[in-house]
């Protein structure tokens, strides 16, 4: 007897429902077995790639991987983010086999180094301190002339925003024009006077304006120069033809026991000699510690800053100074000797105006005049006192 269609359809539905229930049960069992197996499977092998600053062991330890870590821990993202390693920007974990994983890290790009307490601070492209180094690990410029009270790993460097923007601009423009300097110097502690150096060549950028043009010009001019010959290249004003001036001697001399230190524009000791060239200014009264040829002169930063300011002003206003005397080693009693006439300064405040006033006085004196120029604090009056 033939079964009704409704009965046959009902049997098919019951069989289908039973099959689905059985399949669901098997999936649950399989998942439980898989969960148990994965949960008990220890990570036996870890490969690390992409790191130049850390060892594999440092990265593995920072992420909390040990002999008890399971594949399930990795799957459930129970690993520790390597935030304790400041060079790490991002990371990715991959599965290489049932008990092996791979870790690929992306490191922050270092754009420059800054001297700090006998070490170098490594800065990333956002101005954060990502490392302390005994020496440069990669070819990036050393930034000099900037001072800050503290510098903690992971913090943003505590310098003026304009200066940081200038440093970042030099980095990006250097990549754009494929020109990488050995260093940058901010002798006034601001972005109004910037030096660059490449080997023995000092590049005068001036202020932070037109940096795109200036760096582009560096990329065009510098390859034509011999980096082994010391000299200066002034790029402050745009030109179709730049003049490279070879450095004949030192910017200034410092008494050093019974000898003299010959010091260049970036305050590096060029030589130590028993004689000095008389047409190069002598700096006295500054505290100078043991110094070596080829290294930055061991002199307190306040003196080098003051010298940068003085040399900029006298160069700008065409005044030739024979001696810069810091008196008792302070910045409150400075004398500039111009021939036989001394300019006595209580500070370097408004130095441009003081130099201009002294120049005006000098223009009224005969060449044999001997004495000193006294300026009052508000620069409203000045007088020459003859000896």
């Amino acid at each position: 007897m033939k079964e009704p269609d409704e009965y046959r359809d009902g049997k098919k539905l019951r069989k289908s429902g039973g099959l689905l229930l059985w399949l669901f049960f098997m999936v649950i069992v399989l998942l439980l077995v898989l969960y148990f197996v994965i949960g008990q499977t220890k990570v036996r092998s870890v490969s690390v790639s992409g790191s130049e600053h850390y060892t594999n062991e440092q990265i593995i330890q920072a992420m909390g991987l040990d002999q008890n870590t399971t594949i399930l821990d990795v799957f459930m993202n129970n690993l520790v983010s390597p935030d304790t390693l400041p060079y790490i920007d991002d990371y990715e974990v991959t599965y290489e086999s049932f008990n092996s994983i791979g870790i690929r890290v992306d490191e922050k790009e270092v754009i420059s180094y800054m001297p700090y307490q006998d070490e170098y601070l490594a800065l990333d492209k956002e101005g954060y301190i990502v490392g302390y180094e005994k020496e440069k690990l990669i070819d990036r410029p050393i930034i000099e002339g900037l001072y800050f009270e503290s510098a903690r790993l992971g913090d943003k460097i505590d310098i003026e925003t304009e200066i940081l923007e200038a440093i970042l601009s030099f980095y990006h423009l250097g990549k754009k024009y494929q020109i990488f300097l050995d260093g940058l110097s901010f002798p006034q502690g601001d972005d109004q006077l910037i030096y660059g150096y490449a080997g023995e060549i000092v590049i005068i950028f001036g202020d932070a304006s037109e940096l795109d043009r200036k760096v582009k010009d560096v990329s065009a001019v510098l390859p034509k120069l011999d980096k082994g010959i010391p000299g200066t290249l002034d790029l402050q004003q745009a030109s179709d033809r730049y003049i490279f001036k070879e450095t004949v001697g030192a910017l200034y001399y410092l008494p050093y026991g019974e000898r003299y230190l010959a010091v260049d524009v970036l305050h590096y000791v060029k030589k130590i000699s028993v004689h000095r060239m008389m047409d190069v200014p002598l700096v006295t009264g500054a505290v100078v510690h043991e110094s070596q040829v080829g290294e930055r002169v061991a002199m307190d930063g306040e003196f080098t800053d003051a010298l940068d300011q003085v040399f900029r002003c006298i160069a700008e206003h065409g005044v030739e100074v024979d001696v810069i005397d810091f008196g008792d080693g302070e910045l409150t009693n400075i004398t500039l000797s111009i021939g036989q006439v001394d300019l006595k300064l209580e500070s370097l405040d408004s130095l441009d105006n003081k130099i201009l006033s002294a120049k005006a006085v000098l223009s009224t004196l005969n060449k044999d005049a001997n004495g000193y120029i006294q300026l009052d604090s508000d620069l409203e009056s000045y007088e020459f006192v003859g000896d």
Side-chain angles (χ1 to χ4, degrees):
M1 181 174 168
K2 188 177 181 181
E3 293 179 342
D5 291 342
E6 295 83 356
Y7 182 76
R8 287 198 305 270
D9 292 342
K11 287 179 68 177
K12 289 179 180 179
L13 287 173
R14 285 194 297 272
K15 286 182 180 180
S16 298
L19 182 60
L20 288 174
L21 182 62
W22 182 83
L23 289 174
F24 177 76
F25 176 76
M26 291 303 295
V27 169
I28 294 297
V29 171
L30 183 61
L31 288 175
L32 288 173
V33 171
L34 190 61
Y35 179 84
F36 178 78
V37 171
I38 294 176
Q40 297 300 314
T41 301
K42 303 291 179 52
V43 176
R44 297 303 182 192
S45 176
V46 181
S47 63
V48 180
S49 62
S51 177
E52 295 183 359
H53 293 90
Y54 304 111
T55 64
N56 293 358
E57 290 72 20
Q58 286 177 306
I59 294 174
I60 290 171
Q61 183 178 8
M63 296 186 67
L65 286 161
D66 57 31
Q67 60 184 4
N68 295 317
T69 302
T70 67
I71 293 295
L72 182 62
D73 293 326
V74 178
F75 181 77
M76 299 298 291
N77 199 26
N78 290 332
L79 300 182
V80 179
S81 177
D83 295 333
T84 55
L85 304 178
Y87 277 108
I88 302 300
D89 187 30
D90 199 3
Y91 72 98
E92 180 184 8
V93 178
T94 57
Y95 301 93
E96 298 184 344
S97 71
F98 74 96
N99 63 355
S100 301
I101 63 171
I103 301 173
R104 184 186 61 79
V105 298
D106 294 325
E107 293 187 331
K108 295 177 181 178
E109 188 170 9
V110 174
I111 68 165
S112 62
Y113 293 94
M114 285 189 181
Y116 182 71
Q117 296 182 352
D118 299 325
E119 292 185 308
Y120 290 110
L121 302 179
L123 301 186
D124 71 3
K125 60 184 179 181
E126 295 180 348
Y128 284 89
I129 303 168
V130 295
Y132 288 97
E133 309 293 353
K134 288 294 184 183
E135 59 184 19
K136 292 202 311 179
L137 298 181
I138 56 177
D139 186 19
R140 292 292 182 269
I142 295 175
I143 310 297
E144 296 183 325
L146 303 178
Y147 301 93
F148 30 87
E149 294 183 358
S150 63
R152 294 194 310 173
L153 204 62
D155 285 357
K156 199 164 190 176
I157 192 71
D158 185 21
I159 58 178
E160 296 293 332
T161 302
E162 293 80 8
I163 297 176
L164 180 57
E165 289 177 352
I167 294 172
L168 296 177
S169 293
F170 273 106
Y171 168 70
H172 293 298
L173 292 170
K175 292 183 68 175
K176 177 180 178 180
Y177 295 113
Q178 291 298 297
I179 183 71
F180 300 101
L181 302 175
D182 298 324
L184 293 169
S185 177
F186 295 79
Q188 296 179 181
D190 56 30
D191 65 343
Q192 298 305 300
L193 180 61
I194 306 172
Y195 292 134
Y197 50 98
E200 295 291 313
I201 297 173
V202 177
I203 303 162
I204 306 174
F205 289 104
D207 61 30
S209 64
E210 297 186 280
L211 285 184
D212 190 289
R213 187 267 302 170
K214 293 173 183 177
V215 175
K216 182 180 180 180
D217 288 348
V218 171
S219 69
V221 176
L222 201 59
K224 301 176 183 177
L225 302 176
D226 185 346
K227 292 180 68 174
I229 298 178
T232 58
L233 179 65
D234 193 337
L235 300 179
Q236 296 181 81
Q237 301 297 324
S239 174
D240 294 332
R241 182 179 180 183
Y242 291 103
I243 298 175
F244 174 69
K245 296 181 180 180
E246 291 188 20
T247 301
V248 177
L251 178 67
Y252 63 91
Y253 283 93
L254 288 166
Y256 191 62
E258 297 181 354
R259 297 177 295 173
Y260 296 97
L261 299 178
V263 187
D264 70 8
V265 67
L266 293 176
H267 307 292
Y268 279 83
V269 179
K270 305 303 292 182
K271 64 179 180 178
I272 302 176
S273 63
V274 294
H275 302 289
R276 70 180 182 91
M277 297 178 63
M278 299 308 295
D279 59 345
V280 175
L282 176 66
V283 175
T284 59
V287 179
V288 182
H289 307 289
E290 184 176 353
S291 300
Q292 302 292 331
V293 174
E295 296 181 358
R296 193 174 171 88
V297 64
M299 184 167 56
D300 291 345
E302 60 181 4
F303 292 114
T304 56
D305 287 347
L307 288 173
D308 286 327
Q309 191 172 351
V310 170
F311 282 120
R312 179 189 63 80
C313 284
I314 63 178
E316 185 172 322
H317 301 301
V319 176
E320 295 185 1
V321 172
D322 301 303
V323 179
I324 303 171
D325 180 30
F326 288 101
D328 53 2
E330 300 291 338
L331 298 182
T332 55
N333 182 21
I334 304 171
T335 300
L336 306 183
S337 296
I338 307 168
Q340 299 183 84
V341 178
D342 292 338
L343 172 60
K344 295 181 179 295
L345 305 172
E346 294 180 355
S347 74
L348 295 181
D349 294 341
S350 303
L351 183 60
D352 281 285
N353 292 333
K354 292 176 180 177
I355 293 294
L356 287 173
S357 297
K359 189 174 180 180
V361 174
L362 288 169
S363 67
T364 66
L365 304 176
N366 62 56
K367 64 179 182 179
D368 297 323
N370 192 348
Y372 65 92
I373 299 171
Q374 186 70 55
L375 303 172
D376 66 0
S377 57
D378 57 10
L379 299 179
E380 291 186 355
S381 64
Y382 47 83
E383 60 177 335
F384 172 72
V385 180
D387 289 344

